[in-house]
Amino acid sequence: MASVHESLYFNPMMTNGVVHANVFGIKDWVTPYKIAVLVLLNEMGRTGEGAVSLMERRRLNQLLLPLLQGPDITLSKLYKLIEESCPQLANSVQIRIKLMAEGELKDMEQFFDDLSDSFSGTEPEVHKTSVVGLFLRHMILAYSKLSFSQVFKLYTALQQYFQNGEKKTVEDADMELTNREEGERKMEKEELDVSIREEEVSCSGPLSQKQAEFFLSQQASLLKNDETKALTPASLQKELNNLLKFNPDFAEAHYLSYLNNLRVQDVFSSTHSLLHYFDRLILTGAESKSNGEEGYGRSLRYAALNLAALHCRFGHYQQAELALQEAIRIAQESNDHVCLQHCLSWLYVLGQKRSDSYVLLEHSVKKAVHFGLPYLASLGIQSLVQQRAFAGKTANKLMDALKDSDLLHWKHSLSELIDISIAQKTAIWRLYGRSTMALQQAQMLLSMNSLESVNAGVQQNNTESFAVALCHLAELHAEQGCFAAASEVLKHLKERFPPNSQHAQLWMLCDQKIQFDRAMNDGKYHLADSLVTGITALNSIEGVYRKAIVLQAQNQMSEAHKLLQKLLIHCQKIRNTEMVISVLLSVAELYWRSSSPTVALPVLLQALALSKEYRLQYLASQTVLNLAFAQLILGIPEQALSLLHMAIEPILADGAVLDKGRAMFLVAKCQVASAASYDPPKKAEALEAAIENLNEAKNYFAKVDCKEQIRDVVYFQARLYHTLGKTQERNRCAMLFRQLHQELPSHGVPLINHL
């Protein structure tokens, strides 16, 4: 887009073919492409109102701004854009450019002389202060400053530009004719289109200051809001490198290069670009001019602060702390409270694992409110809510705090933080085990983002909060057995966040976890084991936990126990309470599968105490479910049933389908065990109720295709039907059991020991 081209030779900033460092000292210069745009504007002024319809004129007006601000494009592409808006005018423009390019130099001279007439008269065609008027005046002024040799080179470049455009038009026509005759050459056409687009980029001339600024702002906006519509990392870096050839001191280009390198996790190049950006700010003196203060120190302290943020992002916490200390020192010397407030926020990020980190955070929020920094204050409140959620505070207090931060968002129009707040609510409700509320919040965020258009057709729905909400949505659908819906959500995520984008790891982990759960439900442990590697690469703790689950399912109890014990110690050290409880439940299951239910009871009570302390309702319900199962194994089914009445309601209301099936299966087991001492009529009634619960459990297991659990259910049903003397139903269940048992052979564990 900004590579060296013949049109450079008439660039007034060149001397003997060398570009001066300050290539953007002149805001605009004349290029063949801009002459073609001037011809378009001239033809629009000459064409009467009746000749062009209102809709065509409206489309042309919408086309003008990107043509004036954007980079130079080939003539054939320009013709195509004009033809899509107004075919009649495209023909007139093509004829005018052809006459000028195939004529003489005086034709171009006469054209520029006639441009001034657009401003003459009592009612001029173009107002001098309009966007089009300013563009015309810049072009006339830039043309009048050219020497004769530069005018001649401009005309030569115009002829070359016209010839290339004509050649491209002929190639397109031949290609269309060939495609009509041979439909099977569609792929060849696409390859040709790609090569032509690359040629357009590489053959375009240097950008003016306005074009460069427009390009940089557009790409920065796309990187923030809709990364898929921005240039690919390699293409964008190529354009930035070419842009920096003409002006190495263009600070904004270095900053966009920094953002681009962050996309591909290139720590060396991103650090290099970030330092260059602040170096250029100091060299150009832009900071001191714009802020009315000493810009050198300001650039230094914010350079150190951004460097700390960069190192923190890549996990280099020691380097981040050193850079942050430097930023604090310089900010204190300059008495810059805003910079110090940012430093305080990053201090919390670096030390959030410490027990006293909430003190820093509360102080940060108070100071941010005092200095009128709503963005930082809101982020502080969000972090405080997240920390207190992990500390086990009640949901109503957390939602009240988020409500206060939402007032700040709406008051100051901080739409990005509104999205983060809703995503945070989704995560909090899931943490507390309220899947219905989490689903509602996720859908609210999606509907809000789908209505909010940023500009140029970009939807602000490619942010991290949007990815988090979609991942929650996919997991919630998978938990309810709606795998087709979860697959559609993941497909949408893959389109929105390609594998090379910065938030792609979120959906990658979500996808791997869903596939793992499906493989485990289906009894395909070898497939689940192969997925563990991918999960570990994205989240080491989750990967180790899933590996232990696979080992346990494969009856490798000693290996699973060692892995779970190591994971338990690590999670207790880093205070990952949710994972600690999950590990304790797996350890308890391992004990009773090893015929040691009494050893499992203290472990389960420890898990129950933690889940109650941190108000993790769903994990608490799962723990009670496991306690009831342990009591059933120990031969006290009546107490197990009373415990189940405490836990079953939250599970049926907000639980996963698999957990609902397990709960109903356990209720049936307890009913059967309790009925052993009943009178025959009452016993028959209890067994009938157990069969109903088993049918419900079987339906739940069928939703998630959990064949192993279905096998256990039909085995139990066959035994109950046999006791009740229902031979036909018994035989039907026995046949189903035999089919499933042949497909999923038992690992030698008694059926009663499965929850």
Side-chain angles (χ1 to χ4, degrees), residues 252-291:
E252 288 78 5
H254 285 290
Y255 192 77
L256 187 59
S257 176
Y258 156 69
L259 294 178
N260 189 45
N261 287 312
L262 278 183
R263 296 164 73 189
V264 292
Q265 306 294 311
D266 187 347
V267 61
F268 175 77
S269 299
S270 54
T271 307
H272 181 77
S273 298
L274 182 66
L275 294 177
H276 270 291
Y277 166 69
F278 284 102
D279 287 346
R280 268 41 182 196
L281 280 186
I282 294 169
L283 288 173
T284 56
E287 288 290 286
S288 56
K289 291 177 184 176
S290 62
N291 293 290

Side-chain angles (χ1 to χ4, degrees), residues 574-617:
I574 63 171
R575 298 180 183 177
N576 187 345
T577 310
E578 192 177 5
M579 184 56 74
V580 166
I581 297 169
S582 299
V583 171
L584 288 172
L585 292 179
S586 296
V587 170
E589 184 179 349
L590 189 145
Y591 285 147
W592 73 57
R593 288 186 65 172
S594 303
S595 302
S596 304
T598 51
V599 185
L601 283 175
V603 178
L604 288 172
L605 291 172
Q606 184 185 354
L608 184 61
L610 280 172
S611 53
K612 292 285 186 183
E613 180 185 350
Y614 288 92
R615 291 181 170 82
L616 304 176
Q617 178 187 302

Side-chain angles (χ1 to χ4, degrees), residues 357-414:
S357 60
Y358 72 94
V359 178
L360 269 178
L361 196 53
E362 289 175 351
H363 185 61
S364 172
V365 172
K366 290 175 185 176
K367 284 287 186 181
V369 173
H370 175 72
F371 290 113
L373 301 170
Y375 193 92
L376 271 182
S378 176
L379 279 179
I381 294 171
Q382 301 275 0
S383 300
L384 205 56
V385 166
Q386 186 182 75
Q387 189 188 59
R388 288 179 174 174
F390 289 131
K393 300 296 180 184
T394 54
N396 61 330
K397 291 182 179 178
L398 299 181
M399 292 304 157
D400 285 342
L402 286 174
K403 183 185 70 177
D404 295 338
S405 70
D406 286 342
L407 291 175
L408 273 177
H409 303 158
W410 293 109
K411 183 179 178 181
H412 298 280
S413 299
L414 301 172

Side-chain angles (χ1 to χ4, degrees), residues 356-607:
D356 60 340
S357 60
Y358 72 94
V359 178
L360 269 178
L361 196 53
E362 289 175 351
H363 185 61
S364 172
V365 172
K366 290 175 185 176
K367 284 287 186 181
V369 173
H370 175 72
F371 290 113
L373 301 170
Y375 193 92
L376 271 182
S378 176
L379 279 179
I381 294 171
Q382 301 275 0
S383 300
L384 205 56
V385 166
Q386 186 182 75
Q387 189 188 59
R388 288 179 174 174
F390 289 131
K393 300 296 180 184
T394 54
N396 61 330
K397 291 182 179 178
L398 299 181
M399 292 304 157
D400 285 342
L402 286 174
K403 183 185 70 177
D404 295 338
S405 70
D406 286 342
L407 291 175
L408 273 177
H409 303 158
W410 293 109
K411 183 179 178 181
H412 298 280
S413 299
L414 301 172
S415 58
E416 183 183 353
L417 291 182
I418 294 170
D419 299 345
I420 293 173
S421 176
I422 297 175
Q424 179 113 291
K425 289 175 187 174
T426 307
I428 288 171
W429 284 123
R430 279 208 73 194
L431 178 69
Y432 286 161
R434 300 298 181 93
S435 60
T436 308
M437 292 300 297
L439 192 65
Q440 182 192 45
Q441 292 294 328
Q443 289 174 339
M444 184 188 297
L445 176 58
L446 301 187
S447 61
M448 283 182 63
N449 272 294
S450 64
L451 297 174
E452 184 180 350
S453 179
V454 181
N455 54 21
V458 177
Q459 297 292 326
Q460 192 175 352
N461 53 9
N462 281 42
T463 55
E464 185 180 11
S465 53
F466 187 83
V468 168
L470 277 175
C471 287
H472 280 305
L473 209 57
E475 288 180 354
L476 287 168
H477 278 90
E479 284 177 2
Q480 299 305 317
C482 305
F483 294 114
S487 179
E488 286 296 318
V489 175
L490 285 168
K491 182 182 176 183
H492 182 72
L493 269 166
K494 291 172 185 177
E495 292 171 357
R496 287 286 179 192
F497 304 93
N500 61 351
S501 62
Q502 56 184 331
H503 303 311
Q505 289 187 359
L506 294 170
W507 65 257
M508 287 178 180
L509 181 59
C510 175
D511 189 18
Q512 294 280 316
K513 284 162 69 176
I514 291 173
Q515 287 184 47
F516 178 90
D517 291 337
R518 292 194 70 178
M520 290 297 293
N521 292 344
D522 206 16
K524 298 177 180 177
Y525 303 135
H526 63 286
L527 179 58
D529 195 24
S530 66
L531 292 167
V532 168
T533 307
I535 296 173
T536 308
L538 296 165
N539 188 327
S540 57
I541 294 175
E542 191 73 34
V544 173
Y545 175 64
R546 304 266 171 166
K547 178 67 177 178
I549 290 175
V550 174
L551 290 173
Q552 187 174 318
Q554 293 172 338
N555 281 338
Q556 300 180 37
M557 299 301 179
S558 58
E559 292 86 349
H561 186 262
K562 289 176 185 176
L563 212 55
L564 287 170
Q565 287 299 326
K566 288 179 182 177
L567 183 59
L568 182 62
I569 293 167
H570 177 69
C571 291
Q572 286 172 338
K573 186 178 178 181
I574 63 171
R575 298 180 183 177
N576 187 345
T577 310
E578 192 177 5
M579 184 56 74
V580 166
I581 297 169
S582 299
V583 171
L584 288 172
L585 292 179
S586 296
V587 170
E589 184 179 349
L590 189 145
Y591 285 147
W592 73 57
R593 288 186 65 172
S594 303
S595 302
S596 304
T598 51
V599 185
L601 283 175
V603 178
L604 288 172
L605 291 172
Q606 184 185 354

